[in-house]
Amino acid sequence: MPHQTIADQLLARAGDEHPGLLTRERSWTWGEVVEESATRAAWAGELRGEGPFHIGVLLDNVPEYVFWLGAAALAGAAVVGINPTRRGAELEREVRHTECRLIVTDRTGLGLLDGLDVGVRRDRLLVVDDPAYATGLAARGGRGPAHAAPDVTAATTMLLLLTSGTTGTSKAAICSQGRLAALGAANSAKYDITRADTCYCPMPLFHGNALMALWAPALSAGATIALTRKFSASGFLPDVRHYGATYFTYVGKAIGYILARPETPDDADNPLTHAFGTEASPEDTELFLSRFGCRLVEGYGSSEGAGMLKRVADGPVGALGTPARDGVRIVDPVTRETCPPARLDAYGRVRNPEEAIGEIVDTEGAARFEGYWNNEAANAERVRHGWYWTGDLGYVDEAGYFYFAGRSGDWIRVDGENISALLTERVLRRNQGVVAAGVFGVPDPRSGDQVMAAVEIADGSRFEDLDLPGFLAGQKDLGTKGAPRFVRVSHALPTTGSNKLRKKEMQLDGWRTDDPVYRWTGRGGPAYALMTDDDKAALRGEFLAHGRARFLP
């Protein structure tokens, strides 16, 4: 790879007249993106100060975000993408933990920070929609050809990526310029991103999805980046057509929202050809292709590590690919022994889950893991026995294809059997009335767990419209213990800033949420009744009667 750092890749675009960045309001060539980045790099250098050179960015997907990514690369700083959906103590903790010395935000973000002790002086809060900001840029522009700071190397930290926190407190994953540059080059080839592509970015730029699978590959290939401030299902297709977008990135919930939009005869009349993302079900992938003429490429990766699996174009439906190197395997997390292949039935359901499903590890990946910022406990959890442990579950079929089986907390123990929350989620998403679904275990009043689902339905629709009992009875690949005993119904389930469901939060709420909860109490096929306050009180009594009060959700 000729360019070993993000700074190298950016400087290679100096003078490039190809469109680099588009918004609805205006466009910038790549050469102009480099110039804008260099101006901000000069400003960052003046404000560097003592301590870690960390620049917090608290913005939606606006051009300033892209310019400050480039500025950080040239100045040798690390961008901390601050999640604008955070509030109060949680927001304060994340900013203080990452030791930001400078924060770039707007008036809205400034309001979120008001009253918080984030450890950043007021003169180091750059507010992009304040007139003083434009004055500051004008004073530092036109200082000659763009250049990188002399201490920038492949090892220079480029990003501190705050994990989404779907399963607990977020951590700041370190990503160096060298790793991000390599990912950009590899992913541009892996996801077929060329200079001719226009890459539409509806996922937030503070998240690894947009940075590693869109921004960095587009920079490497010299493709065009098209921005939208925030994801909008209703605005998705109009944006795609306006920009002439050929590629985008996604998460499964966003795909669900797009598919929930009313279908029109001209849906396929758009320039999209392909997209990359995670957690879209095979059914949604097939439906998206048939409706919009765009193939969704499901992949596996994380902010902490990527490149463990390689995509195989003609692989089985739902497969992530095959190992990119010898050390990638599925192991029992206790014995560390390699799990045997999964035996799949006609529906692709694992018939031997207890022995086949284990944790995805890379026995050669410890050296590639760059760690979490100032969090040795989290580092020790990821690297054990010299191996890199992903915290993700998976299985491998007899042909060697890997499949994702959920996060490490996605096992639900029902009547002594392990139930995959991910499988039940995928089954629920087949129901056309379900926009999004999260499945998790809640304690049983006697022993083990029961399956609970949280489903999001469109405004104006009702739980009864789902005909859930009849629907579930017709799903041949849903085991008898996989059907949810509790169903929380909402028109807006809680999500992270990257549009993933907050499953940990919903699991802690359990059936004591303020949303309506329907319960199936009998045997035979599912039959749901709305839980009343009296029902919830009676259920609490069952926990007390069986000495399991401590397990109450």
Side-chain angles (χ1 to χ4, degrees):
M1 190 176 69
H3 304 299
Q4 302 294 322
T5 67
I6 292 294
D8 289 339
Q9 291 185 344
L10 191 67
L11 292 173
R13 301 285 163 217
D16 188 344
E17 294 300 315
H18 189 74
L21 183 63
L22 306 179
T23 67
R24 284 274 187 168
E25 293 71 36
R26 63 163 293 183
S27 64
W28 291 261
T29 67
W30 269 115
E32 289 170 331
V33 170
V34 175
E35 292 173 6
E36 297 285 0
S37 299
T39 297
R40 288 154 182 79
W43 201 349
E46 295 173 16
L47 298 175
R48 178 168 186 166
E50 298 295 326
F53 198 5
H54 295 173
I55 301 173
V57 180
L58 177 54
L59 293 169
D60 290 333
N61 284 7
V62 294
E64 286 296 331
Y65 210 127
V66 172
F67 300 150
W68 277 97
L69 285 168
L74 296 176
V79 166
V80 179
I82 302 172
N83 186 337
T85 67
R86 300 285 200 255
R87 294 292 186 275
E90 183 182 30
L91 176 60
E92 179 180 290
R93 186 197 68 81
E94 291 192 345
V95 178
R96 289 195 68 87
H97 173 68
T98 49
E99 301 184 64
C100 295
R101 295 295 185 263
L102 167 68
I103 293 180
V104 181
T105 188
D106 54 16
R107 287 172 176 153
T108 300
L110 197 61
L112 297 179
L113 298 173
D114 186 41
L116 302 182
D117 181 12
V118 296
V120 180
R121 300 199 324 245
R122 181 61 183 86
D123 63 341
R124 280 175 165 70
L125 294 174
L126 303 185
V127 184
V128 301
D129 50 1
D130 187 299
Y133 182 79
T135 302
L137 289 178
R140 293 163 178 86
R143 295 187 175 180
H147 62 279
D151 56 349
V152 172
T153 69
T156 300
T157 301
M158 173 70 203
L159 303 170
L160 291 183
L161 292 162
L162 288 158
T163 58
S164 59
T166 55
T167 56
T169 302
S170 59
K171 302 176 287 291
I174 298 169
C175 181
S176 66
Q177 288 213 26
R179 181 160 78 95
L180 189 59
L183 278 172
N187 287 346
S188 63
K190 186 175 182 179
Y191 308 137
D192 302 321
I193 299 172
T194 70
R195 188 170 171 85
D197 280 304
T198 295
C199 304
Y200 176 59
C201 186
M203 296 293 103
L205 282 165
F206 63 76
H207 194 260
N209 173 295
L211 292 171
M212 294 176 168
L214 191 142
W215 179 75
L219 171 61
S220 178
T224 304
I225 299 169
L227 291 182
T228 185
R229 290 187 71 102
K230 293 181 179 180
F231 168 75
S232 165
S234 61
F236 175 79
L237 207 52
D239 272 354
V240 163
R241 289 168 173 157
H242 174 80
Y243 290 123
T246 54
Y247 171 84
F248 72 102
T249 61
Y250 63 87
V251 294
K253 188 169 185 287
I255 295 298
Y257 278 137
I258 295 169
L259 291 172
R261 295 285 302 166
E263 191 168 355
T264 62
D266 64 344
D267 278 344
D269 182 16
N270 70 77
L272 286 174
T273 56
H274 59 305
F276 166 81
T278 58
E279 301 178 7
S281 69
E283 292 80 10
D284 281 358
T285 299
E286 182 178 347
L287 181 57
F288 201 91
L289 177 61
S290 64
R291 180 171 165 182
F292 299 105
C294 173
R295 59 186 173 90
L296 302 183
V297 179
E298 280 285 301
Y300 174 75
S302 64
S303 301
E304 298 91 334
M308 295 173 64
L309 299 174
K310 58 185 179 183
R311 186 166 59 91
V312 180
D314 56 351
V317 174
L320 298 174
T322 58
R325 46 186 176 271
D326 291 340
V328 179
R329 62 190 66 172
I330 309 289
V331 304
D332 183 301
V334 176
T335 67
R336 289 186 282 150
E337 294 181 357
T338 301
C339 294
R343 299 194 303 273
L344 307 181
D345 65 11
Y347 304 104
R349 186 173 60 190
V350 182
R351 306 308 303 164
N352 56 334
E354 291 196 1
E355 62 174 0
I357 296 181
E359 188 165 345
I360 303 173
V361 303
D362 186 351
T363 63
E364 303 171 1
R368 297 183 179 89
F369 173 53
E370 296 183 300
Y372 296 109
W373 176 257
N374 198 23
N375 196 334
E376 289 306 317
N379 289 339
E381 178 65 22
R382 278 284 177 261
V383 177
R384 307 191 304 275
H385 313 293
W387 295 1
Y388 175 72
W389 297 74
T390 65
D392 293 329
L393 301 174
Y395 56 92
V396 59
D397 66 16
E398 293 178 340
Y401 289 98
F402 275 54
Y403 298 76
F404 182 63
R407 307 301 176 187
S408 57
D410 277 348
W411 271 134
I412 307 173
R413 191 75 171 173
V414 179
D415 297 338
E417 294 184 21
N418 283 331
I419 302 300
S420 168
L422 181 64
L423 174 60
T424 302
E425 287 174 8
R426 287 178 172 174
V427 167
L428 289 169
R429 273 293 298 122
R430 294 173 192 160
N431 189 306
Q432 293 186 353
V434 173
V435 176
V439 174
F440 41 86
V442 293
D444 183 275
R446 289 174 173 80
S447 66
D449 296 318
Q450 291 183 349
V451 179
M452 181 168 180
V455 298
E456 184 172 322
I457 60 178
D459 289 338
S461 61
R462 306 173 305 149
F463 172 74
E464 291 76 14
D465 298 333
L466 302 178
D467 184 25
L468 203 58
F471 169 78
L472 292 175
Q475 305 306 304
K476 302 299 184 183
D477 56 343
L478 182 66
T480 58
K481 300 185 187 303
R485 287 282 173 171
F486 299 91
V487 181
R488 171 181 175 176
V489 182
S490 173
H491 294 298
L493 290 173
T495 61
T496 68
S498 54
N499 287 304
K500 294 182 179 180
L501 294 178
R502 288 185 174 271
K503 287 178 60 174
K504 187 66 175 180
E505 176 183 316
M506 293 189 292
Q507 185 176 33
L508 291 173
D509 289 342
W511 40 265
R512 296 198 291 189
T513 173
D514 292 334
D515 284 331
V517 175
Y518 293 78
R519 186 188 184 195
W520 164 32
T521 59
R523 294 183 179 276
Y528 295 98
L530 179 65
M531 289 187 76
T532 65
D533 289 341
D534 288 343
D535 293 330
K536 293 180 181 181
L539 187 52
R540 285 194 291 271
E542 288 187 50
F543 278 88
L544 295 173
H546 292 90
R548 283 173 61 84
R550 69 185 187 279
F551 293 110
L552 271 167

